[in-house]
């Protein structure tokens, strides 16, 4: 994505409004994009290929060209096809079942850049790519990071935080970390900021994480939570559960990442439980805690009703009224 596709400020406000009014649709889209099988990216790629004739063939050729060092030719194809104008038009006047509103909302208001970067890192680590393909994904990650900064969608500190999050999850984002270390701003990224050495790798940190039972102040909630998460399985459901427990003061201080990890550890082998990528859960939580027209999304009537449903189901303390 190039800077010329960046929506003006008013459109960013409209994206926030769209998310608040179409939250289920937004969550379904982010769930798809965070899927480990890459089905979301395949769908978006096919959609872009329809909007920009010749784009698919150009991408295929780019993947085979061992001399290329950037994506300028691909950006030019998208620019010449006026894809930015088409997307904005598709957002303002969407056709039935159009993916454009959800896609733009995710790109500019969700954790899209982190998700794309993380998937690229995973593909490189996976060992199934050819050497040339790994080189392409290395360039892709760098392009994503610098583009996100150039269009002011992310800051250098955001990418430092991303590296720290990955480290907490037990992953060393090799390409991203090298890019972040080259940032010229005042706070350098060193091995003290982000653990990269073998002796400090996150296995010990993961082992120190508390199980779900220890995160809860009331252990009788375990069975009800298990019943809940085997029925309500989407990223937004996990984020909403975390918020409800926190509001009820029955959850010891922990991050959404730690809570997600504890759920996986507790119920990962249970029938009916669906493991959800942590990035999707983070994205849902970030959206709930974001503001639209100076009001938290979590405080919208439909979300307050969902929190009340969770409170009633888990029989949380009465003072947790939201």
């Amino acid at each position: 994505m190039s800077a010329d596709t960046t929506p003006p400020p008013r459109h960013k406000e409209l994206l926030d409004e769209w998310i608040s009014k179409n939250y289920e649709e937004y969550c379904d889209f982010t769930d798809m994009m965070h899927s480990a099988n890459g089905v979301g990216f395949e769908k978006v790629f096919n959609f872009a290929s329809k909007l920009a004739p010749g784009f698919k063939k150009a991408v295929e050729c780019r993947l085979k060209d061992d001399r290329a060092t950037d994506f300028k030719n691909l950006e030019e194809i998208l620019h010449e096809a006026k894809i930015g104008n088409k997307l904005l038009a598709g957002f303002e006047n969407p056709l039935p079942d159009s993916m454009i509103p959800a896609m733009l909302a995710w790109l500019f208001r969700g954790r899209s850049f982190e998700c794309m970067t993380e998937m690229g890192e995973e593909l490189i680590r996976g060992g199934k790519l050819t050497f040339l393909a790994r080189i392409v994904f290395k360039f892709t990650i760098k392009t994503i990071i610098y583009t996100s900064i150039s269009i002011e969608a992310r800051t250098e500190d955001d990418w430092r935080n991303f590296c720290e999050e990955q480290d907490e999850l037990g992953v060393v984002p090799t390409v991203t970390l090298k890019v972040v270390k080259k940032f010229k701003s005042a706070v350098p990224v060193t091995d003290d900021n982000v653990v990269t050495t073998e002796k400090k790798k996150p296995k010990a940190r993961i082992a120190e994480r508390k199980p779900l039972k220890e995160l809860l102040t009331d252990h009788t909630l375990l069975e009800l939570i298990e019943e809940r998460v085997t029925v309500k399985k989407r990223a937004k459901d996990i984020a909403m559960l975390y918020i409800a427990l926190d509001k009820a003061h029955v959850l010891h201080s922990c991050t959404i990442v730690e809570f997600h990890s504890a759920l996986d550890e507790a119920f990962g082998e249970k029938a009916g439980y669906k493991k959800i990528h942590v990035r999707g859960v983070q994205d849902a939580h970030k959206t709930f805690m974001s503001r639209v027209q100076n009001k938290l999304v979590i405080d919208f009537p439909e979300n307050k009703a969902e929190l009340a449903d969770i409170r009633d189901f888990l029989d949380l303390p009465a003072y947790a009224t939201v």
Side-chain angles (χ1 to χ4, degrees):
M1 179 181 298
S2 56
D4 62 306
T5 62
T6 307
R10 175 55 185 155
H11 280 95
K12 290 184 178 181
E13 293 176 11
L14 291 175
L15 289 173
D16 289 335
E17 293 174 12
W18 183 90
I19 291 173
S20 68
K21 295 176 181 177
N22 302 272
Y23 194 64
E24 292 284 336
E25 183 179 345
Y26 174 76
C27 287
D28 287 343
F29 184 85
T30 59
D31 224 14
M32 178 182 70
M33 296 307 297
H34 289 284
S35 174
N37 61 13
V39 63
F41 286 95
E42 182 178 355
K43 188 172 182 179
V44 170
F45 174 71
N46 290 334
F47 179 70
S49 299
K50 290 180 181 179
L51 291 182
F55 181 66
K56 184 174 183 179
K57 185 175 181 180
V59 170
E60 291 172 349
C61 290
R62 172 64 185 79
L63 291 173
K64 299 173 184 177
D65 185 357
D66 62 357
R67 304 164 303 163
T69 58
D70 56 45
F71 299 97
K72 288 183 179 179
N73 64 319
L74 300 180
E75 292 179 357
E76 288 171 1
I77 291 173
L78 296 178
H79 179 71
E80 291 173 3
K82 297 183 178 179
I83 194 169
N85 293 339
K86 292 178 181 178
L87 291 175
L88 290 177
F91 175 77
E92 293 172 342
N93 299 287
L95 296 173
D97 299 322
S98 171
M99 67 184 285
I100 290 178
M103 182 173 66
L104 286 180
W106 181 70
L107 281 171
F108 291 100
R109 305 317 257 173
R111 295 179 66 90
S112 53
F113 294 99
E114 293 87 346
C115 177
M116 289 185 279
T117 299
E118 186 177 43
M119 180 162 286
E121 294 275 7
E122 288 178 354
L123 287 169
I124 291 173
R125 288 193 302 270
K128 295 182 179 180
L129 298 179
T130 65
F131 172 75
L132 181 56
R134 293 200 300 273
I135 293 297
V136 170
F137 275 101
K138 181 186 76 170
F139 288 136
T140 302
I141 291 170
K142 290 181 177 180
T143 300
I144 290 169
I145 293 171
Y146 286 121
T147 298
S148 73
I149 293 173
S150 69
I151 65 175
E152 299 182 353
R154 297 291 183 274
T155 64
E156 293 182 354
D157 280 340
D158 288 332
W159 285 111
R160 290 191 185 91
N161 292 336
F162 171 77
C163 288
E164 291 174 0
E165 284 179 353
Q166 290 289 284
D167 179 58
E168 290 174 359
L169 293 171
V171 178
V172 177
T174 309
V175 178
T176 306
L177 185 57
K178 287 182 178 179
V179 173
V180 170
K181 284 185 175 181
K182 293 179 181 178
F183 286 161
K184 296 180 179 179
S185 56
V187 183
V189 175
T190 67
D191 289 339
D192 293 329
N193 303 116
V194 182
V195 179
T196 59
T197 60
E198 199 66 35
K199 65 180 180 180
K200 292 184 180 179
K201 269 193 175 173
K203 282 191 176 179
R205 188 176 303 181
I206 291 175
E208 292 172 1
R209 279 192 185 163
K210 293 181 179 180
L212 183 60
K213 185 176 181 179
E214 292 184 19
L215 289 180
L216 297 169
T217 62
D218 182 356
H219 296 166
T220 63
L221 289 171
L222 277 171
E223 290 187 10
L224 289 173
I225 290 175
E226 178 181 351
E227 186 178 346
R228 181 83 185 182
V229 296
T230 53
V231 176
K232 298 286 189 175
K233 307 179 181 183
R234 292 179 298 177
K236 71 155 238 164
D237 298 318
I238 302 301
M240 186 76 79
L241 176 62
Y242 170 79
I243 293 171
L245 292 170
D246 185 56
K247 280 181 173 288
H249 303 291
V250 295
L251 189 67
H252 290 300
S253 178
C254 67
T255 66
I256 187 69
V257 172
E258 291 167 332
F259 179 69
H260 169 272
S261 177
L263 284 179
D264 275 359
E265 182 182 352
F267 309 124
E269 304 302 322
K270 301 283 187 179
Y273 180 76
K274 177 184 177 183
K275 287 192 175 183
I276 304 222
H277 200 291
V278 66
R279 193 64 63 199
V281 178
Q282 285 180 301
D283 193 20
H285 181 258
K286 176 184 176 183
T287 301
F288 278 134
M289 304 313 293
S290 63
R291 290 187 177 275
V292 175
Q293 297 177 343
N294 206 32
K295 185 177 183 180
L296 287 175
V297 172
I298 193 63
D299 290 331
F300 282 23
E302 62 272 23
N303 295 328
K304 292 181 74 173
E306 180 72 13
L307 283 176
D309 178 68
I310 296 174
R311 184 185 70 241
D312 293 342
F313 184 85
L314 298 180
D315 194 23
L316 296 176
Y319 60 73
T321 303
V322 292

